[in-house]
Structure formats: structure tokens, C-alpha cells
Amino acid sequence: MILWIIKRDLLLAMRRRADVLTTLFFFIIVVSLFPLGVGPEMNTLRIMAPGIVWVAALLASMLALGRMFSGDYTDGTLEQMLLSPVSLSALVMGKAIAHWLITGVPLVLIAPVLGIQYDLPAESLMVLTLSLLMGTPVLSLIGAIGAALTLGLRGGGVLVSLLVLPLYVPVLIFGAGAVEASAAGLGFEAHFSLLGAFLLVSVVCSPWATAASLRISMG
Amino acid sequence: MLTANNLGFSRGNHKLFENLSFSINEGELLLVSGSNGSGKTSLLRLLCGISTPDEGEILWNGAEIRDLGEDYYRVMTYLGHLGGIKDDLTAIENLRISCALAGNEIDEGQAKEALGRIGLVGREMLPAKVLSQGQRRRVALARLLVTHTKVWILDEPLTALDVTAVDMIRQLLEHNLSKGGLVVMTTHQEMEISAVTSQHLVLS
Amino acid sequence: MAINWFKYASPATFYFLAGRMIPFFTVVAVLLLLVGLYISFFVAPTDFQQSEAYRIIFIHVPAAWMSMFLYLIMAFWAGIGLAFNTRLSSMVASAIAPTGAMFTFLALWTGAWWGKPMWGAWWVWDARLTSELILLFLYIGFMSLQAAIDDPRRADKAGAIIALVGVVNIPIIYFSVQWWNTLHQGASVSLVQSPKMATAMLTGMLIMALAAWMYSIAMILIRTRSIILERESRTAWVSELKEGVTRS
């Protein structure tokens, strides 16, 4: 059943490729703007790179949250999901996985290229990509709660940023921190285990909270 | 048996209805009518469990539907006035996905057959966005052809349908009622449905 | 003797009960504040390391405590409201948020005032200050979400979810920021790390904290009363209340 939802959302994304690309280009543009703002000094940029890429990833993932439930809400599919004999949490999990595949994975794949813009060494590039790989699913899962709570509200898009960005802080700290730690020659394993722990906690808690939020927003 | 006891519901500060009680047995039809804004859709959303009443309770065979949750959804089909039809998916994909969501997976052949019966021959592979309003409605209603549920809660199922389609829906409803199903529907149109008993609820 | 607690859970009963309690808490808050300020500024000795500037802790520390307590209490009542569908507890939760946000802001503001003479900068990315800033964002998120929703029942429940999610996250955020801070700066001089705190200092701080509690209770009761009036404006007892006011 989760597979049905994932398959459907991927199919819809395929038929509306422009939406997927918008998020990706947003990410690329934000990351490319920073050197224009702070100057082309490579040593500064190298230090700032992990933070910039991570903040841009946070924003890109958040921007796409609006689409997570709004389409299903306006055409009535969400009502059908609420009334499905399959548990709503499972359906929500499927939606979050699809959201990650559509918005998170492209960011992970393009991140090494952007890292090169900032002259990151090979090891840092690898750690950056891995940290995004582990961190972006958490963003989709936490974001789903915010998207569900702001469903159908005026100014929901801005509101969702107020709700979820503060919750993204730990992922940002340990995601960017892993890259910095590896660049400083310290181990980054601790960062990765914490990112893994965040992922586990959000896999367990977030679908449940999102399902509750959807029932509240629809009821 | 679907029972409503002393239902009360309000939107914001506006009370839509209160002390509403009725019960529907197997093979019975409940027609809900009333002017716009009288709370027809709200009542149906309460009966299917999307919203919770402010007061009163809704029972399916004696148990609160909120507590039954997925056990109730297994025997119930709700068709809202939004059909859950995706513009970017074809008629077949739309039907198969909405059936899968309702826990009733069907293959492409079954979907095609159902769409054919409801009068969409040759339109199965078209994306829903090129279909007319009435054809989209038929795609949504095609679910009723393949579903195995007992309780049907239908919000304005006849909107945008032509005479032949209305007749088709009438037969479908009669078939479900004769099998011992329950139907609750809102409609503006007059329709002669032969049911064991049919009740008419007018909301003001 | 059994007390019928549900009686107090009715908004109407609470409204009148709160009305009688507010003057008491207000008076106690003012008295404690006066005593607390007197001790803080005239009795407590000058700190030999930080000289007079340290005296801001008498406001800063109680404010920081309150900001965190109030978030927990807010989430607690919001959660009760969600679980048991008790309208009054959700109203109390909504009433707590602005006071909590105010104390968070006060803690940040006084932190900056203390920071200028101590660190030479209005703002440093100290772990406590940063956590406090994120706490302010959480309060703002809660209030904005409730403000954006027209239907009060949905607002109550949605607020409860975000408050509970916030409560789960606060410790994670706090320890993340702590880790991040030690990684980047090493330990900085902390506002409350006085090696030996004089008894007068401690007394002053505790009295100020108590004053903050009393003030919060009074404010929350006042705000809950206005929320009750707004939500129950169509009920018979509020209409009677209105008639009584116009008659007298």
C-alpha cells in the first residue's frame, strides 16, 4: 500500500517534471549566490561551504512541503486517504518517502557538484553528500507535520517555514558539523550516528503526528 | 445498522443542526436534502468519520465509528463532491489508485471493464484533464462498480451526469440496496429508487 | 470531602473563579517584585569579577526559567486539551503563549545587556542564548499557527500538536546547540556560573523568580478570561453578563 502511494506520487512528479526541477534549481541558485555576497575568497568559502549547502537544502526541502498534501487536499484524494482501511500513518509514510525521493534525492546528487564550486576536498565532498543523504529524509518527515497542520490555511507557505525551520536546527548542526569535523581531521562518526538517531526517531514519531494533524485539519 | 444519536454540529459560531437522530437498517436508503449551506455535506462527513460531532454519537452496529476506525472504513465507501480525480493521471490510473486506497486493489482489466460499463469506452487512457465534468464524475463513480463495501455515503453523486448515467447510478444503488447495503446520499435531483424503506431527511 | 473538579473545568465557573483570584496574584506579584528588586540592587553584594553588571541576572535568570517552564506548562495543557477534549485547558494553553514569549524575549534582551560589558558584544552565539532564541521561534510558531486558523477547535488541536512536537524537540535542540557551541568556541563565560553565590544573591534571585510566577499566573488568568468571553460570546451566561454590565 505504501508502494501504491509512492508509485503514484512519483508518477505525478514525472508528469509535472517542472515542479521537481524548480526545487533543484532553487537549491543551486541559493548556493551559487553566496559567493557573490561574501566575495570569492576561497579560504572563506571553503569554511562556509557545509553551512551554506545545508541551509540551502533546508530551504529547498521546505519550499516543496506546500505540495506534499495540497494537491490531494484540493482534489479530494485526502478525504479518501483518511477513510482508507489502511492506516493513515502508513500512507503518510509513503507520502514522506515520495517527497524525499522527489526533492531530497536530487539535492543529494547535485551537492558534490556544488561542493566543487566551493573547492571542497574529496573527503569533505563525500561526507557532505552522505550527511545530506541521512539528513534530508528527516527534513521530509518533520516537514510533513508542518505541511499537515497548515493545510488549506491562508499564507500556509510562510507559516510552514515558521513551524518547521526551528525544528530543523539539530539536523543542520550535525549535518554541517559532520563536514566541518572531517575537514578538521576529527572523526565524523558521532555526527553520523546522531543523524541516524534523528532519522529513527522521526521515522517512528513523525508519521503518527502527521496523521493526527491531517485528521485535525480535515475534521 | 447505522445510527445517529442527538447529533449536534456547528461551523465556527454557526450551529448547523442539533439533536439530529436517525437510524438506517440494511437495505435502506436515506436521502438528505436541504438548501445550500444547510449542512448536508457536513452531515455526510460526520457519518463517514472525517469530522467529529460536537454532540451526540454515530454508531455502526452499536459501536462508535471513531473507535471502529479502519474496521468501519473497510465496509464504507464515501464519495465526496470532490471526486479525488487527478488531472495528470489517466482514467484507468485514477480508478485503480482510488480503489487501492480503499483497500480494494484491481488490475488494469477490471478497471477498463468498469470504465467501459459506466460509459467511458475509448477514454480509458486519456488524462483526466481532457475529460468533461460529467466524464470525470463517471470516473469517480466507477468505484461503485468494483467496490465490495456495504455502506455507501454519496455527496451529490448525480451532479453533471446525463440521463443515461443517472439511470445507471440508480440501478447501481438499487443493486446495492437489494444486497442488503445501506445508502446515504444528498441530491437536488428527483430520483425514483426502489428500496425496502427509504427515509427522507430535510435539513433547514 | 470530595471536590467536584469538573465544576471548575467549566469555562463559566472558571471565569468567575479566575476573576476573584486575579487581584490576589497581582498584589503578591507586585510585592515580591519590590522586595526582590530591593534585595537585587541594594542588599546583594557587588560581584568582584563582574562588578555591578552582574545584577542583570536577577531579571535574566528568572525570565529564562519562566520561558522554559511556561513552554512545558503550555504543552501540558494543550496536550490535555487534545487528549480529553477539554476546552478550558486548550484556552489556558493559548493564554500562556504570549507570556512565555514575553519572558523569552526578556531573557534575550537582558542577555544582550549583560553581554555588552562582559563579552564586548550585544550578541554572542552562546549555547544558552541560542537555545533561548530558538525557543522564541517555537513560541512564535505556536502563536502564528493558532492565529492563522479560524475554527477555534482546529486551532486548539493544531496548536497542541506543534507544542508537543516542540517539547520533544527542545531537549534535542538544546543538546545540539550545546555540542555545536563547544565545538566552535570552547566554553565561554556563562551568565550564571558564579563560583560562589552569596546568600543575598540567591535569595534575591528566588524572590524574583517567585514574582515572575505570580505575575505569569495573574496574566494567564486575565488572558484566559478574555478568551473565554470571546469563545462563549453566544452562550446565555455571557449574555447575562453583558446585560448586567449595561444595566449597572
Side-chain angles (χ1 to χ4, degrees):
Chain A
M1 194 59 230
I2 293 190
L3 285 179
W4 265 99
I5 289 284
I6 299 175
K7 246 168 59 188
R8 189 205 64 162
D9 278 13
L10 291 183
L11 192 64
L12 284 170
M14 279 301 293
R15 304 245 160 109
R16 295 236 170 223
R17 261 163 294 205
D19 288 354
V20 182
L21 291 177
T22 321
T23 314
L24 184 61
F25 282 125
F26 171 84
F27 179 60
I28 297 171
I29 289 173
V30 170
V31 173
S32 311
L33 279 181
F34 270 87
L36 300 176
V38 299
E41 172 53 47
M42 267 308 172
N43 284 326
T44 323
L45 288 181
R46 210 175 295 124
I47 295 169
M48 293 174 67
I52 292 171
V53 174
W54 258 100
V55 170
L58 248 55
L59 295 177
S61 165
M62 187 204 76
L63 269 188
L65 284 178
R67 283 202 301 275
M68 198 186 248
F69 296 114
S70 65
D72 289 336
Y73 175 66
T74 43
D75 67 19
T77 314
L78 202 53
E79 287 177 347
Q80 310 287 0
M81 290 186 185
L82 252 59
L83 301 177
S84 170
V86 182
S87 93
L88 185 57
S89 307
L91 297 178
V92 164
M93 189 71 206
K95 295 284 296 176
I97 293 174
H99 179 265
W100 177 67
L101 289 172
I102 295 163
T103 62
V105 171
L107 304 188
V108 175
L109 295 177
I110 201 79
V113 182
L114 297 178
I116 290 172
Q117 280 192 322
Y118 285 78
D119 193 31
L120 282 182
E123 196 198 278
S124 295
L125 284 180
M126 191 196 71
V127 178
L128 176 66
T129 314
L130 284 177
S131 71
L132 282 168
L133 187 66
M134 289 180 76
T136 43
V138 185
L139 303 184
S140 296
L141 284 161
I142 296 178
I145 306 175
L149 286 174
T150 54
L151 205 59
L153 297 181
R154 303 168 251 111
V158 186
L159 191 55
V160 83
S161 65
L162 278 182
L163 296 182
V164 303
L165 285 179
L167 303 177
Y168 283 173
V169 165
V171 184
L172 170 68
I173 288 178
F174 290 102
V179 189
E180 285 163 24
S182 91
L186 306 164
F188 50 83
E189 289 80 8
H191 293 81
F192 273 24
S193 13
L194 279 165
L195 281 177
F198 295 156
L199 183 56
L200 262 172
V201 172
S202 44
V203 164
V204 174
C205 301
S206 156
W208 177 81
T210 310
S213 307
L214 284 176
R215 290 202 189 279
I216 290 167
S217 296
M218 297 291 291
Chain B
M1 189 171 73
L2 190 63
T3 316
N5 282 332
N6 298 315
L7 285 187
F9 191 68
S10 51
R11 276 262 167 243
N13 271 326
H14 177 62
K15 251 207 171 74
L16 288 174
F17 43 79
E18 54 188 334
N19 288 327
L20 190 62
S21 301
F22 52 83
S23 84
I24 315 156
N25 285 308
E26 308 202 325
E28 285 186 6
L29 166 78
L30 175 68
L31 273 177
V32 184
S33 59
S35 51
N36 291 331
S38 58
K40 298 189 297 288
T41 298
S42 299
L43 177 62
L44 294 202
R45 286 166 66 93
L46 288 176
L47 289 179
C48 66
I50 295 177
S51 326
T52 12
D54 298 340
E55 290 142 31
E57 51 183 7
I58 299 164
L59 309 174
W60 168 244
N61 291 337
E64 179 81 49
I65 56 167
R66 277 268 153 177
D67 302 333
L68 289 173
E70 280 124 31
D71 289 330
Y72 177 57
Y73 303 149
R74 231 182 297 283
V75 296
M76 191 271 301
T77 295
Y78 169 72
L79 259 179
H81 59 97
L82 301 164
I85 302 297
K86 294 264 174 216
D87 277 345
D88 290 320
L89 299 181
T90 66
I92 287 199
E93 286 164 344
N94 266 308
L95 179 58
R96 288 189 66 196
I97 284 165
S98 55
C99 284
L101 270 179
N104 173 29
E105 294 193 20
I106 56 171
D107 60 32
E108 196 155 332
Q110 284 169 292
K112 201 165 177 176
E113 199 243 296
L115 289 170
R117 273 174 62 199
I118 205 140
L120 290 171
V121 180
R123 304 255 175 356
E124 300 94 339
M125 301 303 277
L126 291 178
K129 63 184 155 206
V130 305
L131 297 179
S132 73
Q133 210 46 40
Q135 287 169 329
R136 292 164 64 96
R137 196 71 206 158
R138 288 179 193 220
V139 177
L141 287 165
R143 274 177 61 196
L144 296 178
L145 286 168
V146 284
T147 182
H148 305 298
T149 54
K150 209 167 176 184
V151 185
W152 290 4
I153 298 178
L154 315 173
D155 196 358
E156 299 286 350
L158 305 179
T159 329
L161 292 184
D162 56 23
V163 185
T164 44
V166 169
D167 197 52
M168 168 115 211
I169 299 304
R170 185 180 54 81
Q171 285 171 21
L172 260 175
L173 297 182
E174 281 171 357
H175 180 64
N176 184 45
L177 290 166
S178 69
K179 282 192 310 187
L182 293 74
V183 176
V184 181
M185 64 185 276
T186 60
T187 178
H188 284 303
Q189 280 157 277
E190 282 299 317
M191 186 164 60
E192 274 305 315
I193 296 173
S194 55
V196 182
T197 344
S198 79
Q199 307 178 45
H200 200 148
L201 179 71
V202 182
L203 294 173
S204 53
Chain C
M1 192 183 76
I3 302 174
N4 180 7
W5 288 106
F6 283 103
K7 204 180 112 196
Y8 297 107
S10 127
T13 322
F14 182 87
Y15 180 84
F16 294 108
L17 186 71
R20 285 204 299 276
M21 280 153 56
I22 289 167
F24 168 76
F25 284 107
T26 316
V27 170
V28 175
V30 172
L31 290 178
L32 284 173
L33 183 73
L34 290 176
V35 175
L37 284 177
Y38 178 77
I39 294 178
S40 320
F41 283 94
F42 300 107
V43 180
T46 308
D47 189 274
F48 84 101
Q49 257 186 331
Q50 312 181 13
S51 71
E52 302 295 342
Y54 91 95
R55 290 189 195 274
I56 198 88
I57 66 162
F58 291 111
I59 297 171
H60 175 83
V61 173
W65 282 346
M66 285 315 292
S67 65
M68 284 179 253
F69 278 136
L70 285 179
Y71 195 92
L72 292 180
I73 299 170
M74 178 182 86
F76 172 77
W77 284 117
I80 296 281
L82 182 65
F84 302 106
N85 209 7
T86 43
R87 285 174 303 156
L88 184 60
S89 24
S90 303
M91 294 185 204
V92 171
S94 311
I96 293 175
T99 304
M102 190 279 289
F103 275 116
T104 319
F105 183 73
L106 192 64
L108 287 170
W109 187 263
T110 50
W113 265 6
W114 181 81
K116 188 62 181 166
M118 285 305 126
W119 293 317
W122 291 110
W123 182 262
V124 275
W125 290 93
D126 163 74
R128 282 163 204 270
L129 280 182
T130 312
S131 309
E132 200 70 21
L133 182 64
I134 294 167
L135 184 64
L136 182 63
F137 296 156
L138 292 178
Y139 272 119
I140 291 174
F142 176 86
M143 291 191 287
S144 322
L145 179 65
Q146 291 211 319
I149 303 176
D150 292 328
D151 176 16
R153 277 174 312 171
R154 179 178 167 191
D156 285 343
K157 292 177 181 171
I161 297 260
I162 202 70
L164 291 172
V165 170
V167 160
V168 174
N169 269 275
I170 283 175
I172 303 178
I173 293 173
Y174 184 77
F175 288 111
S176 311
V177 172
Q178 199 88 37
W179 169 306
W180 162 81
N181 189 251
T182 47
L183 196 76
H184 287 263
Q185 290 192 326
S188 54
V189 195
S190 172
L191 196 40
V192 281
Q193 259 173 17
S194 258
K196 51 174 177 7
M197 199 180 265
T199 328
M201 287 188 197
L202 198 64
T203 325
M205 202 136 84
L206 288 177
I207 291 179
M208 289 297 279
L210 217 55
W213 268 109
M214 295 300 127
Y215 164 82
S216 306
I217 295 174
M219 283 312 288
I220 291 163
L221 290 179
I222 293 173
R223 214 174 280 115
T224 310
R225 264 166 65 101
S226 7
I227 296 176
I228 291 176
L229 279 190
E230 203 184 323
R231 298 261 185 103
E232 308 262 300
S233 58
R234 273 155 205 266
T235 57
W237 72 271
V238 177
S239 313
E240 277 168 32
L241 206 66
K242 267 189 275 184
E243 279 164 26
V245 171
T246 41
R247 246 189 278 122
S248 60

